[in-house]
Amino acid sequence: ETRQDALRRLAYVEGHLKGIRKMLEEGQYCVDVLKQLYAVQRALDKIEGIILAGHLRQCVPEGIRAGRDSQVIQELTELYELASR
């Protein structure tokens, strides 16, 4: 379910990016292009949240149960650092 939702949203973003490319090629007004870019960024943020939530619900508990606590914590730390930049 999470994967399908993320894939559906990615398809939307891909289509949206093609539209933005066309806007730039046609010399559309910068503000209009920027508004579309902001919409894509929000869509990507939403996809990120969906995937992260799925990871926290499924992958993290599985990793801990499998005895990979250190690896799971390291991965979460890396994700936190990437998100903080």
Side-chain angles (χ1 to χ4, degrees), residues 55 58-77:
H55 181 69
Q58 185 174 355
C59 300
V60 169
E62 287 175 3
I64 291 171
R65 281 192 296 272
R68 297 189 330 260
D69 303 41
S70 295
Q71 179 185 354
V72 168
I73 292 169
Q74 178 61 35
E75 290 171 348
L76 291 173
T77 301

Side-chain angles (χ1 to χ4, degrees), residues 11-79:
Y12 163 81
V13 168
E14 288 171 344
H16 213 105
L17 284 174
K18 287 180 184 177
I20 293 170
R21 173 185 285 273
K22 185 175 179 186
M23 289 176 75
L24 286 171
E25 290 170 349
E26 294 173 353
Q28 295 288 323
Y29 186 53
C30 296
V31 171
D32 295 334
V33 174
L34 287 168
K35 286 179 182 179
Q36 296 306 309
L37 286 169
Y38 294 144
V40 166
Q41 185 60 53
R42 285 190 302 276
L44 288 172
D45 290 344
K46 181 69 175 173
I47 295 167
E48 177 185 331
I50 289 168
I51 293 172
L52 178 59
H55 181 69
L56 293 172
R57 276 193 311 270
Q58 185 174 355
C59 300
V60 169
E62 287 175 3
I64 291 171
R65 281 192 296 272
R68 297 189 330 260
D69 303 41
S70 295
Q71 179 185 354
V72 168
I73 292 169
Q74 178 61 35
E75 290 171 348
L76 291 173
T77 301
E78 289 172 13
L79 289 174

